[in-house]
Amino acid sequence: MHVLATAGHVDHGKSTLVRALTGMEPDRLAEERRRGLTIELGYAWTSLPSGERVAFVDVPGHERFLGTMLAGVGPVPAVMFVVAADEGWMPQSEEHLVALRTLGVRHGLLVVTRADLADPGPAAKDAGGRLTEAGLRTGPAGGAVETLAVSGRTGEGLDALRAALDRLVAALPAPDPEAPVRLWIDRAFSVRGSGTVVTGTLPAGRVEVGDELELDGEPVRVRGLESLKEQAESVSGVARVALNLRGRVAGERGHALVTPGAWTATGLADVRVTMAEGARGPLPGRLTAHIGSASVPCEVRPLGPEAARLRLARPLPLHVGDTLLLRDPGRGQGELRVLARATVLDVRPPELRRRGAARERAKALAEASADAASLLRTHLLLRERELVAMGSPPPGRPVTGDWHADPGHWANLLARLPEVVRRHADAHPLEPAMPLEAARHELDLPDRRLVTALVRPPLTVADGRITTGRTAAGEAGLPAPVAGAVRTLLAGLSSTPFQAPEAGRLAELGLGPREIAAAVRAGALLRVADGVVLAPGADARAAAVLARLPQPFTVSQARSALGTSRRVAVPLLEHLDRRGFTERVDDVHRRSV
């Protein structure tokens, strides 16, 4: 299936032409039929000579309904531009063309209607030149837009138009059936016994019965699916679809059904601004942004000559590279209301806090493009799922896990880490190995795994700490005063290895809790309990002594055999239990293992 929109000045015969091509009435409202004026979007479809099916979104041509026209044109890939032979180019013809050009619609046909009332030649020449200059084309090779003269009343030229429509749809680029779904809703209503039904133009991707989508951040499930009034289990874009939804959220025009996790819902976007043909800056501070069928008020903050920040009245699901049309609905009759195209460059823009930050951001946006590399230059580190939701899947490998990094920022982090670890070692001589969490905070990283990925020799990671690979002053990496105190302590234990020094003696030696902890980490002391330290390996020596006792033995027998006090014997035996050297038999006895 293919979907086209109509465009053109009011009362130039757009609806009449659609009716003549399809045999269907696109004007759904009684008031439209009574007044002969399209007010709402109309829908009709037909089969072309090739067998291809084409659906039309018929839009209003009156200047009062430009917002509705944009809702119909926004999601479609091509247009049938209508100009009446007896009136020629008119103000809304111009505004519709400016809108199409701004939205980036580049495929279409020019149809000159009422050929039975006036010579279509002058209107065809004038309008054809304007459309071709605007970049509208029919075939893939470019050139002038194909022009047809018809009469919806007599049927003149309709067969030629059908053949031209076949040529047009054959030249349209094929949409990606695997693309994430973003279905802009253009109608929403309730059906008794079925619930909420929404309709829209599916530009790409695939929707199937049973799919779970998101609407305004809430999950909804597709319980039924129709395309052109025919039930289906699966539909791929481009297509007109109607979805019966199950969920807590009721849809409405301008909202979108999206693939979960594939879009970034944002109320703030940095954009590149391109003024519309005939529009002059600067942009007003308040405008209306259009994308798909959405029409959302926004505040415009200029950042530079072609850069701005848009603050949207409600979040929209966006990708970088999306095009928004900026319109001023408050302009008077005859004034151009389509002012600019806004190309989205960032859907999660950084805060602008510092003086001069806006100017720096404008400079960055001037060099930005809609890809992952540009996003990483701004955000430095992003998860793969974040890049996917922003519309730019990363082309390269992650630095660790699902994290991707800007190459320049990653190189800077690699250079900084050794210095950060060295400063920590100098500032904490008793704890020279830097905790990974401390390094994460120092480097302002969001995930500890990133720190580990930055470690290169001679740095190493062990037990959640980064070591420098260098030996500090003193023994076992201990500062000289601590190493000297440990040597003195060990000398005192050489003749009585299980008589741990009292707290006073430890204080006299200058071995407080931090010094003892450093000596234990360095392997220079064995701590069996708070305030009870022995020489390294003393537990194994004690186990050997106890193994020679009659089994089982008591704490008192163990204390005598080890030549120590109960203060040391009790925690030492508990330590030996934990290490598996001994085990309890009952509340009183133990035995060697």
Side-chain angles (χ1 to χ4, degrees):
M1 184 200 308
H2 303 275
V3 183
L4 309 180
T6 61
H9 192 76
V10 63
D11 200 30
H12 275 205
K14 296 186 296 296
S15 298
T16 300
L17 181 59
V18 171
R19 193 180 302 116
L21 284 169
T22 66
M24 302 175 68
E25 176 57 69
D27 288 338
R28 297 180 289 110
L29 306 180
E31 182 183 358
E32 292 177 309
R33 295 191 289 273
R34 178 176 57 81
R35 297 174 60 184
L37 174 70
T38 299
I39 299 172
E40 262 295 348
L41 299 177
Y43 311 100
W45 54 89
T46 189
S47 293
L48 298 175
S50 66
E52 291 283 346
R53 304 182 81 188
V54 61
F56 296 95
V57 180
D58 188 32
V59 306
H62 197 284
E63 65 175 352
R64 286 168 47 202
F65 306 123
L66 178 61
T68 304
M69 176 268 181
L70 294 172
V73 170
V76 304
V79 66
M80 187 168 66
F81 205 103
V82 177
V83 176
D86 57 338
E87 290 192 352
W89 198 257
M90 296 291 281
Q92 281 308 107
S93 306
E94 182 64 28
E95 187 149 46
H96 281 201
L97 181 58
V98 170
L100 292 168
R101 187 174 191 172
T102 304
L103 287 170
V105 178
R106 294 292 178 262
H107 301 275
L109 289 172
L110 170 61
V111 182
V112 180
T113 56
R114 301 181 188 169
D116 57 321
L117 299 181
D119 178 8
K125 182 178 180 181
D126 179 30
R130 294 173 187 264
L131 266 61
T132 299
E133 184 181 352
L136 207 68
R137 64 182 187 271
T138 300
V145 64
E146 189 170 353
T147 303
L148 289 302
V150 305
S151 169
R153 187 178 65 85
T154 68
E156 174 189 349
L158 290 183
D159 287 341
L161 175 55
R162 291 186 178 95
L165 287 168
D166 250 336
R167 291 189 291 273
L168 171 63
V169 299
L172 294 178
D176 181 4
E178 303 304 319
V181 169
R182 181 174 60 179
L183 176 68
W184 293 103
I185 298 170
D186 50 37
R187 286 185 69 204
F189 49 93
S190 294
V191 176
R192 180 173 295 180
S194 296
T196 300
V197 175
V198 299
T199 71
T201 299
L202 179 66
R206 179 185 293 108
V207 177
E208 298 181 356
V209 174
D211 279 355
E212 185 175 283
L213 302 174
E214 283 186 356
L215 177 58
D216 293 338
E218 294 289 337
V220 294
R221 191 168 297 280
V222 180
R223 62 188 298 184
L225 175 60
E226 285 188 2
S227 182
L228 306 186
K229 297 289 187 180
E230 297 175 359
Q231 289 190 349
E233 290 296 316
S234 175
V235 176
S236 297
V238 175
R240 286 292 303 172
V241 294
L243 276 61
N244 181 202
L245 302 177
R246 179 187 288 116
R248 293 181 297 174
V249 181
E252 57 183 282
R253 176 181 290 176
H255 293 244
L257 287 161
V258 299
T259 300
W263 301 86
T264 298
T266 181
L268 201 66
D270 281 354
V271 300
R272 178 175 292 126
V273 176
T274 305
M275 298 303 294
E277 188 74 23
R280 298 289 180 268
L283 291 174
R286 292 189 64 83
L287 291 172
T288 298
H290 294 264
I291 182 173
S293 64
S295 173
V296 180
C298 68
E299 296 178 2
V300 181
R301 177 181 179 179
L303 301 176
E306 295 183 348
R309 176 161 292 184
L310 304 183
R311 187 174 297 277
L312 303 165
R314 64 176 173 85
L316 294 175
L318 297 179
H319 276 171
V320 295
D322 277 341
T323 295
L324 293 92
L325 181 147
L326 301 181
R327 177 175 70 99
D328 186 354
R331 297 218 165 185
Q333 186 173 0
E335 291 185 288
L336 185 65
R337 289 170 291 170
V338 175
L339 299 185
R341 176 175 68 247
T343 303
V344 178
L345 297 176
D346 199 340
V347 292
R348 286 175 43 188
E351 294 185 12
L352 303 175
R353 292 178 174 174
R354 295 181 294 102
R355 186 179 182 87
R359 184 170 56 252
E360 293 177 9
R361 182 61 175 153
K363 182 179 179 182
L365 291 173
E367 302 170 354
S369 54
D371 57 24
S374 182
L375 289 170
L376 286 169
R377 280 196 297 273
T378 296
H379 298 277
L380 305 179
L381 292 159
L382 288 169
R383 291 181 183 272
E384 184 162 339
R385 63 175 180 268
E386 294 173 315
L387 285 163
V388 168
M390 295 166 89
S392 294
R397 295 171 59 85
V399 293
T400 186
D402 62 344
W403 284 102
H404 291 260
D406 172 66
H409 180 60
W410 192 249
N412 180 56
L413 291 171
L414 283 167
R416 286 178 58 197
L417 181 60
E419 177 60 20
V420 166
V421 175
R422 185 195 64 76
R423 288 201 309 268
H424 177 88
D426 291 345
H428 304 84
L430 296 177
E431 301 180 62
M434 188 176 195
L436 285 170
E437 187 64 14
R440 185 184 74 80
H441 280 288
E442 185 71 21
L443 296 175
D444 193 23
L445 295 175
D447 191 326
R448 193 183 296 182
R449 291 177 299 169
L450 292 164
V451 182
T452 304
L454 287 167
V455 173
R456 303 286 189 276
L459 299 183
T460 58
V461 177
D463 298 326
R465 293 174 175 268
I466 308 171
T467 60
T468 61
R470 65 188 177 100
T471 301
E475 297 177 359
L478 295 172
V482 178
V486 168
R487 284 197 299 272
T488 302
L489 187 152
L490 294 176
L493 289 171
S494 59
S495 58
T496 54
F498 306 113
Q499 290 185 9
E502 299 277 354
R505 176 56 177 162
L506 292 174
E508 183 183 320
L509 291 172
L511 294 175
R514 293 180 67 247
E515 289 77 12
I516 289 173
V520 170
R521 283 195 300 272
L525 290 176
L526 170 67
R527 177 168 52 194
V528 296
D530 288 342
V532 179
V533 291
L534 299 171
D539 49 359
R541 294 173 62 188
V545 172
L546 298 175
R548 294 194 291 268
L549 289 175
Q551 304 293 316
F553 54 85
T554 64
V555 171
S556 179
Q557 290 170 327
R559 178 182 61 75
S560 298
L562 297 173
T564 187
S565 64
R566 186 175 179 83
R567 178 184 71 88
V568 176
V570 170
L572 178 57
L573 287 170
E574 292 173 349
H575 172 81
L576 294 176
D577 291 343
R578 292 192 297 270
R579 290 288 309 276
F581 287 118
T582 58
E583 64 180 10
R584 283 184 173 274
V585 175
D586 52 37
D587 290 343
V588 176
H589 297 89
R590 283 180 172 81
R591 66 184 173 203
S592 298
V593 177

